[in-house]
Amino acid sequence: MSKYILNKTWKLNLLFRYLSKYILIQRMNNLFKAFNDPTRREILELLKNGDMIAGDIADHFEMSKPSISHHLDLLKQADLVISVKQGQFINYSLNMTVMDEILAWFVQFKTEVQKEETLVSKVEKPRIRLLINKN
């Protein structure tokens, strides 16, 4: 290959890595912004139990429907929530793929020893016995 093609390929590779990192940072910023608000976290808790329409979600809060719509929009921008229009209603559900990605991202910061300790603690739960004196 010519020197020109190698140089151009190297620059494209570098640009791709930079853009990939930038997109990941932007995505994580959107996720943390979505998690930052207690109302949005509560909406995620509601959706944990199953799909809901916007009106049913709004009924759980003492705020206007446009405010709930704004919170749902931010959750959609972060890809935490999926919306599907069904007739005149919009059905919302959790995007579990993104949840798995978030967990994987957090786990990367654990050391191998911490990961092993976590696995062991899940398997071997300590048992405590209470001895009661009946005297």
Side-chain angles (χ1 to χ4, degrees), residues 42-86:
E42 193 171 340
I43 291 171
L44 293 173
E45 288 285 330
L46 288 171
L47 292 174
K48 177 178 69 173
N49 299 322
D51 298 356
M52 296 177 76
I53 60 172
D56 291 343
I57 294 170
D59 290 343
H60 284 83
F61 299 93
E62 292 183 17
M63 62 176 64
S64 68
K65 290 187 179 187
S67 293
I68 294 297
S69 179
H70 172 73
H71 287 294
L72 287 168
D73 187 50
L74 288 174
L75 290 169
K76 283 180 7 185
Q77 287 176 24
D79 286 332
L80 291 168
V81 169
I82 299 169
S83 65
V84 177
K85 187 164 181 149
Q86 296 175 334

Side-chain angles (χ1 to χ4, degrees), residues 95-113:
N95 184 357
M96 294 311 295
T97 304
V98 173
M99 296 294 186
D100 291 339
E101 290 173 9
I102 294 166
L103 289 174
W105 186 79
F106 276 114
V107 168
Q108 76 175 336
F109 296 108
K110 283 186 149 189
T111 64
E112 288 303 315
V113 173

Side-chain angles (χ1 to χ4, degrees), residues 1-130:
M1 276 206 241
S2 73
K3 192 175 185 179
Y4 173 77
I5 293 173
L6 286 174
N7 192 24
K8 192 162 186 120
T9 304
W10 178 80
K11 286 180 182 178
L12 286 173
N13 192 11
L14 187 63
L15 178 63
F16 177 75
R17 277 193 276 161
Y18 172 77
L19 288 175
S20 298
K21 189 174 183 178
Y22 176 77
I23 290 168
L24 177 65
I25 290 170
Q26 285 299 106
R27 188 169 186 196
M28 294 306 287
N29 286 343
N30 287 341
L31 286 169
F32 286 119
K33 181 179 179 181
F35 283 134
N36 189 40
D37 186 81
T39 301
R40 291 190 284 273
R41 290 193 303 267
E42 193 171 340
I43 291 171
L44 293 173
E45 288 285 330
L46 288 171
L47 292 174
K48 177 178 69 173
N49 299 322
D51 298 356
M52 296 177 76
I53 60 172
D56 291 343
I57 294 170
D59 290 343
H60 284 83
F61 299 93
E62 292 183 17
M63 62 176 64
S64 68
K65 290 187 179 187
S67 293
I68 294 297
S69 179
H70 172 73
H71 287 294
L72 287 168
D73 187 50
L74 288 174
L75 290 169
K76 283 180 7 185
Q77 287 176 24
D79 286 332
L80 291 168
V81 169
I82 299 169
S83 65
V84 177
K85 187 164 181 149
Q86 296 175 334
Q88 49 182 296
F89 300 104
I90 299 175
N91 200 31
Y92 291 92
S93 60
L94 283 180
N95 184 357
M96 294 311 295
T97 304
V98 173
M99 296 294 186
D100 291 339
E101 290 173 9
I102 294 166
L103 289 174
W105 186 79
F106 276 114
V107 168
Q108 76 175 336
F109 296 108
K110 283 186 149 189
T111 64
E112 288 303 315
V113 173
Q114 288 171 325
K115 289 177 189 174
E116 289 173 13
E117 287 173 355
T118 302
L119 290 173
V120 169
S121 69
K122 287 182 181 177
V123 173
E124 300 173 7
K125 294 188 177 182
R127 297 176 190 238
I128 301 172
R129 289 188 181 190
L130 295 176

